[in-house]
Amino acid sequence: VFQGKLARYALYECADQQYLAVAPLEDKFWLKLSTQMEVPKELTEKGEEAVKEWLNLEFKKQKLQHWLYKLDDPDLCVSAVKK
């Protein structure tokens, strides 16, 4: 169904080679995550593939623990991927 194209339903690699699962499928949760991550407005207008590319780069800038702390809100729908 999703075919890996949605920024809002993906796994993102962090700086420490750990992964963060992102799944805020509902618009209200996606908006909250986009705001918290400070996704540039011009990217959101280009579509989710552009946002996904940007998020890939952003998540690789910090370790998983940083993102879990920054995104510590159940409405953001993120979690660590266990190995």
Side-chain angles (χ1 to χ4, degrees), residues 61-74:
K61 291 179 180 178
Q62 299 287 340
K63 293 181 179 182
L64 176 64
Q65 287 303 318
H66 167 84
W67 296 117
L68 292 175
Y69 179 77
K70 179 180 174 108
L71 304 173
D72 185 25
D73 179 339

Side-chain angles (χ1 to χ4, degrees), residues 4-65:
K5 293 182 181 179
L6 294 179
R8 64 176 80 193
Y9 193 75
L11 298 177
Y12 293 97
E13 185 176 0
C14 302
D16 55 1
Q17 289 77 47
Q18 300 284 330
Y19 285 85
L20 185 70
V22 174
L25 291 174
E26 292 182 48
D27 287 340
K28 64 182 179 180
F29 300 130
W30 174 240
L31 178 61
K32 193 168 184 177
L33 178 72
S34 297
T35 301
Q36 182 69 16
M37 288 298 297
E38 299 176 13
V39 175
K41 188 145 189 99
E42 61 271 8
L43 281 181
T44 59
E45 293 167 358
K46 288 183 180 180
E48 287 215 31
E49 287 187 55
V51 174
K52 187 174 182 181
E53 288 178 28
W54 185 85
L55 286 173
N56 269 319
L57 296 173
E58 286 301 301
F59 284 122
K60 286 181 182 177
K61 291 179 180 178
Q62 299 287 340
K63 293 181 179 182
L64 176 64
Q65 287 303 318

